[in-house]
Amino acid sequence: MPAIPVAAVQVLQVVVVLLASPLVSGFIASVEARMQGRRGPRVLQVYYDLAKDFSKETLAPTGASVLYFLAPALSFACYLTVPMLIPVLTSFALPLGYMGDIFGGGLILSMASFFVAVAAAETGDGYAQLASSRSKSFSAITEPVLLLVVMTVGLITTTDLPYVLGATVRSGPAQIVRPAHLLASAALLMVILFETARIPVETHSGLIELGMIEGGRPFEHSGPLLALLKWGSATKQMVLYVILLNVFVAPWGMASTARPTDIALAAAAIVGKALLLGVAIALLDNMFAKLRLFKITEFVSAAFLLAVLAIFTLYLGGG
């Protein structure tokens, strides 16, 4: 069977992340509801909601500039750029795999967050602007955490390329239980909980405006613009899950060749791993309560401390 061109595989990575992201979000919501004794939404409900939003009319606040209309599409484009730089389906680097490291991917995700913040500011709505301000304030702590995690990666692998780190983890079980690697992975997981608005930072099932962060920013968007923001949020979650799974925690199941069967199995593997991680996230959502707003800084500071400890364990030896 002839191999798929590597350029087509790179496009398939984006397509898999794009199409699977609503499935993972819907699966987490369904599992969480079952754990709480509720029937909950259907697993495919997110797809229906997106289709409904795309079919609605777009209403813009008075005085909104062109940035209000462009920001959702720009942020969505940023989220779709990152899957071209990280190992989603293959263990070997694709043509664009070496054009951006983890720093580059983090910068693109930060740029997407900036566009969403701009879109919220353009609405003039108090709740949307307040949620955007909170997000940027807490990001002042979480972004240094990512930098320290990347620094730990660089010290372990002598590079910050995600494909190289994944290969290092696959080289032997000793790499997985390395203390610095475990600390950096835990710090990254805490950052993902913050970035995806999960408990203990935020709850997806609550509608208390005064406590919203991620869920409050698209308050004044409607129609296709709201659909892009929702789909972009789910895509960001899937991208972060892929980084955690295929780079840090479980970089197995990826294709070593570009044959169609290997690529199909790799696509099923990453979706399956993301769903299993979703079960763990749902468990966390049910085991803990939402933190008070002023306590969130302590949560993200704990992630920062774990990242610092990862650096120290490497420098002190044995890490």
Side-chain angles (χ1 to χ4, degrees):
M1 184 177 295
I4 303 175
V6 289
V9 175
Q10 196 139 48
V11 174
L12 284 175
Q13 291 200 149
V14 179
V15 173
V16 168
V17 170
L18 180 66
L19 297 182
S21 54
L23 174 65
V24 174
S25 295
F27 180 77
I28 294 175
S30 179
V31 171
E32 185 177 352
R34 297 288 182 177
M35 290 180 179
Q36 296 172 356
R38 299 184 290 110
R39 181 177 181 181
R42 294 172 291 182
V43 174
L44 301 180
Q45 185 62 45
V46 179
Y47 293 100
Y48 299 126
D49 292 341
L50 289 175
K52 181 176 65 176
D53 289 332
F54 273 117
S55 65
K56 289 184 176 180
E57 180 185 2
T58 298
L59 300 177
T62 303
S65 70
V66 67
L67 290 175
Y68 172 85
F69 299 95
L70 291 180
L74 291 174
S75 64
F76 194 67
C78 290
Y79 294 136
L80 295 182
T81 302
V82 180
M84 293 189 289
L85 308 176
I86 60 177
V88 179
L89 299 178
T90 64
S91 58
F92 57 91
L94 297 172
L96 298 180
Y98 288 129
M99 294 188 67
D101 52 14
I102 299 181
F103 277 117
L107 178 62
I108 295 172
L109 292 177
S110 297
M111 189 182 302
S113 179
F114 169 76
F115 287 134
V116 175
V118 169
E122 283 292 315
T123 64
D125 177 73
Y127 286 129
Q129 292 179 336
L130 188 60
S132 180
S133 175
R134 290 168 177 165
S135 176
K136 297 287 85 181
S137 298
F138 295 134
S139 293
I141 305 177
T142 58
E143 289 177 1
V145 175
L146 288 178
L147 294 178
L148 290 175
V149 169
V150 172
M151 186 180 298
T152 306
V153 171
L155 291 173
I156 295 175
T157 65
T158 69
T159 180
D160 54 2
L161 291 172
Y163 283 95
V164 178
L165 177 61
T168 302
V169 175
R170 288 194 303 272
S171 64
Q175 298 294 335
I176 302 175
V177 298
R178 183 193 292 263
H181 180 77
L182 294 176
L183 290 169
S185 300
L188 179 60
L189 176 60
M190 294 179 71
V191 171
I192 290 175
L193 292 178
F194 169 79
E195 291 291 341
T196 57
R198 293 293 175 183
I199 285 179
V201 177
E202 190 176 350
T203 171
H204 279 227
S205 59
L207 294 175
I208 303 176
E209 294 88 345
L210 293 176
M212 282 187 169
I213 302 176
E214 180 76 14
R217 295 191 290 180
F219 253 18
E220 290 299 314
H221 284 79
S222 60
L225 298 181
L226 178 61
L228 284 177
L229 289 174
K230 287 182 177 180
W231 203 351
S233 179
T235 302
K236 177 181 72 171
Q237 175 180 260
M238 185 65 182
V239 166
L240 293 173
Y241 283 7
V242 170
I243 294 175
L244 178 66
L245 292 168
N246 278 0
V247 178
F248 283 85
V249 178
W252 296 279
M254 292 180 285
S256 58
T257 68
R259 289 181 299 190
T261 52
D262 292 346
I263 298 298
L265 290 174
I270 185 56
V271 174
K273 290 190 292 186
L275 294 179
L276 288 177
L277 180 58
V279 173
I281 297 296
L283 282 171
L284 290 175
D285 277 356
N286 282 276
M287 290 172 60
F288 299 95
K290 180 184 179 301
L291 291 172
R292 292 187 177 183
L293 193 64
F294 64 89
K295 290 286 187 180
I296 296 177
T297 54
E298 298 180 6
F299 177 80
V300 293
S301 297
F304 181 81
L305 179 60
L306 288 177
V308 171
L309 288 175
I311 299 292
F312 281 171
T313 54
L314 284 174
Y315 273 113
L316 295 178

